[in-house]
Amino acid sequence: MPMYQNGEVDPAVKALEARQDEIMRKLYELKAAVEGLAKTVTTPDADLDLTVSSSLSSQSLSSTTFKGAVTDLDTLLGKDLGALRDIVINANPAQPPLSLMVLHSLLCQRYRVLSTVHVHSSVTGVLPQLLSCLGPRHADSYARHMFQLGFTLIWKDVPKLQMKFSVQNMCPIEGEANVARFLFKLLAPYPSDPALATLVDSWVDTAFFQLAEGSAKERSAVLRALNSALGRNPWLAGPDLSLADIACYCCVLQSGSASSAPTNVQRWIKSCENLGHFSPAKLLLQ
Amino acid sequence: MALNLTINTSNPPLGALLAAEHVKSSVQVSVEEGKDTRLQVSDAIQFNDTNSISRYLARVAPALGLYGANMMEQTEVDHWLEFSARRLCGQPGLAVALGELDKALSLRTFLVGHAITLADLSVWAALKGHGEWPSQGKSFSHVSRWFYFLSSQVPF
């Protein structure tokens, strides 16, 4: 059949063209809609439903405690693949990880964190304060894409605290000290000076291995070392609060040696408590 | 800047010595024999344990990437530093720890990332110093492969 008759376009072809235009228009609309959706999933900051994000932003006031803070999770953790970055922690209810509770509450001030607590079948009779230790269930918890980080705590019969994150690339991380280092790096960079950074790590090791697990003799040696370090500086690693302070504070508290601590340590415990970040740790101890 | 590392000759900190050997092209480290292991950094700061010394050496030579290439690798390195100090050094239950190590190495050439890090140095040093390791080697094929691969490298 000839397409043109006497210079006129066949009405059937015209109809076909109109249909094609209509289909293309619908496809464009669909594409735009999908791109919009993809944006809300991959960049949690952008294009959120304003009614929901306003209720979230009231909680995500930026923390002023740490200087030179990084907030871009993509820079820290690599490209966001669209799924919620979920930090899964297996902890034994016999040894609640106080330092991680403090870091969790700091993370909640910085990021939109979806926190959940579970009890693994290997343990029974978990105390109610351990079940509610991450605060009440978030009202928007069904919408995972609205959160930047997931924090999933599982009470489980494990010999050592364990973190699973990005399981394709990372081995499971063992030890509260190492998990604390990881969480802290999401809040603030380590000091750029190698000596200060290593000093922080060294205090963290001392806190978890000598204060928390050591003998009475080791503990009093650490308290003396803390006392002399705190005579030189307001915080353990110099003029700013660092992970060293969080780790040592929590371990002093856990070992029950806070009341018998020497003067400088007592003063420093007060300063820690004045900051208000440490109440989640105290709650767990009750 | 020359660093001075004093080592306890009766219990030499193998991991720290390996780290020192790796960074010697970028930082000058002189090693002295003495009673206690110590790295004096400044008047106020000194490090006495192998892990802190290794961490410091890795940080003063960042170009070598001994502490991993990103935050997640750093965390894995931290994990293995603690693993070597707490699970491998003179602790009971070596077989369990070796089982975990074997599993971790089953799909890897190096413990963390695709290059040598403090994780390899400290775990290798802990095994090297462990009396029971050579006899256990046969049952953990991945650990053996990795251990002898590293042993054949120049700095080891």
Side-chain angles (χ1 to χ4, degrees):
Chain A
M1 187 179 83
M3 267 176 63
Y4 296 94
Q5 284 178 332
N6 312 324
E8 287 289 308
V9 181
D10 191 316
V13 175
K14 262 190 174 166
L16 209 58
E17 276 180 348
R19 241 182 92 197
Q20 190 189 8
D21 284 347
E22 177 66 13
I23 290 172
M24 290 305 280
R25 192 182 58 77
K26 280 186 176 161
L27 271 176
Y28 268 115
E29 273 175 13
L30 205 62
K31 191 173 169 233
V34 169
E35 272 173 355
L37 267 176
K39 229 176 177 178
T40 59
V41 174
T42 51
T43 52
D45 291 351
D47 300 331
L48 271 185
D49 183 350
L50 280 180
T51 51
V52 183
S53 62
S54 62
S55 72
L56 285 167
S57 63
S58 58
Q59 297 168 359
S60 51
L61 294 170
S62 63
S63 162
T64 48
T65 319
F66 300 112
K67 290 178 186 164
V70 222
T71 39
D72 187 4
L73 286 174
D74 280 353
T75 322
L76 290 170
L77 299 175
K79 183 123 178 54
D80 190 337
L81 297 173
L84 182 72
R85 298 179 161 103
D86 200 356
I87 301 169
V88 178
I89 292 170
N90 293 322
N92 197 319
Q95 297 144 334
L98 301 193
S99 69
L100 303 192
M101 297 302 108
V102 174
L103 289 164
H104 168 261
S105 106
L106 289 169
L107 282 170
C108 288
Q109 290 181 355
R110 172 71 48 78
Y111 303 106
R112 292 188 302 277
V113 183
L114 177 59
S115 320
T116 30
V117 182
H118 299 281
V119 178
H120 190 261
S121 59
S122 59
V123 292
T124 48
V126 177
L127 295 170
Q129 69 255 39
L130 296 187
L131 294 178
S132 58
C133 63
L134 298 185
R137 196 180 159 84
H138 203 287
D140 299 307
S141 57
Y142 58 89
R144 286 171 72 88
H145 67 271
M146 285 175 190
F147 295 88
Q148 294 167 292
L149 271 182
F151 193 101
T152 304
L153 177 65
I154 303 173
W155 296 113
K156 186 175 175 179
D157 184 20
V158 281
K160 234 178 161 174
L161 184 128
Q162 211 179 42
M163 174 183 81
K164 293 186 181 175
F165 179 75
S166 178
V167 282
Q168 301 98 319
N169 319 314
M170 274 172 92
C171 65
I173 303 301
E174 267 189 357
E176 187 176 339
N178 301 322
V179 177
R181 287 183 177 109
F182 174 80
L183 295 180
F184 189 80
K185 283 175 192 158
L186 295 174
L187 291 162
Y190 261 50
S192 53
D193 174 32
L196 269 188
T198 308
L199 188 65
V200 170
D201 278 327
S202 153
W203 276 121
V204 172
D205 278 345
T206 306
F208 286 106
F209 304 131
Q210 282 151 21
L211 265 181
E213 295 175 8
S215 61
K217 200 175 148 209
E218 273 182 286
R219 226 169 19 238
S220 59
V222 175
L223 285 173
R224 279 197 302 278
L226 279 174
N227 199 47
S228 81
L230 291 166
R232 292 190 294 268
N233 285 307
W235 301 104
L236 283 173
D240 299 314
L241 179 79
S242 73
L243 181 62
D245 300 289
I246 297 176
C248 288
Y249 172 86
C250 291
C251 292
V252 167
L253 212 64
Q254 201 153 28
S255 66
S257 33
S259 50
S260 57
T263 348
N264 294 334
V265 181
Q266 295 274 9
R267 179 179 49 75
W268 163 81
I269 290 176
K270 285 252 162 55
S271 334
C272 286
E273 284 171 358
N274 284 341
L275 286 178
H277 299 307
F278 293 90
S279 43
K282 286 201 120 172
L283 278 178
L284 265 198
L285 270 189
Q286 282 161 10
Chain B
M1 177 183 62
L3 289 166
N4 203 336
L5 173 65
T6 312
I7 60 161
N8 175 357
T9 40
S10 61
N11 182 19
L14 261 189
L17 285 173
L18 279 174
E21 186 65 26
H22 273 84
V23 302
K24 72 176 179 192
S25 56
S26 1
V27 199
Q28 247 192 316
V29 190
S30 60
V31 178
E32 244 173 51
E33 297 185 350
K35 275 210 308 268
D36 299 305
T37 293
R38 185 181 68 215
L39 182 73
Q40 191 79 38
V41 174
S42 66
D43 292 339
I45 301 180
Q46 64 169 23
F47 300 116
N48 298 310
D49 67 293
T50 300
N51 281 355
S52 296
I53 295 172
S54 305
R55 281 189 166 110
Y56 179 77
L57 292 174
R59 282 176 171 139
V60 286
L64 298 176
L66 286 179
Y67 216 135
N70 55 46
M71 189 185 141
M72 286 174 291
E73 289 190 12
Q74 281 171 20
T75 305
E76 286 188 277
V77 169
D78 285 331
H79 164 83
W80 291 115
L81 283 175
E82 180 175 328
F83 183 88
S84 59
R86 312 283 300 176
R87 303 278 304 277
L88 293 178
C89 281
Q91 302 289 320
L94 179 71
V96 182
L98 281 175
E100 285 175 34
L101 187 59
D102 204 54
K103 204 171 138 207
L105 280 167
S106 60
L107 294 173
R108 284 166 179 263
T109 304
F110 298 103
L111 273 172
V112 177
H114 301 288
I116 208 153
T117 61
L118 289 185
D120 298 297
L121 303 185
S122 66
V123 173
W124 186 91
L127 276 185
K128 182 82 181 169
H130 206 292
E132 286 176 43
W133 156 243
S135 57
Q136 297 257 12
K138 282 198 191 72
S139 358
F140 302 100
S141 58
H142 298 297
V143 185
S144 296
R145 160 181 56 76
W146 165 87
F147 185 83
Y148 293 111
F149 165 62
L150 289 188
S151 307
S152 66
Q153 311 277 310
V154 178
F156 285 87

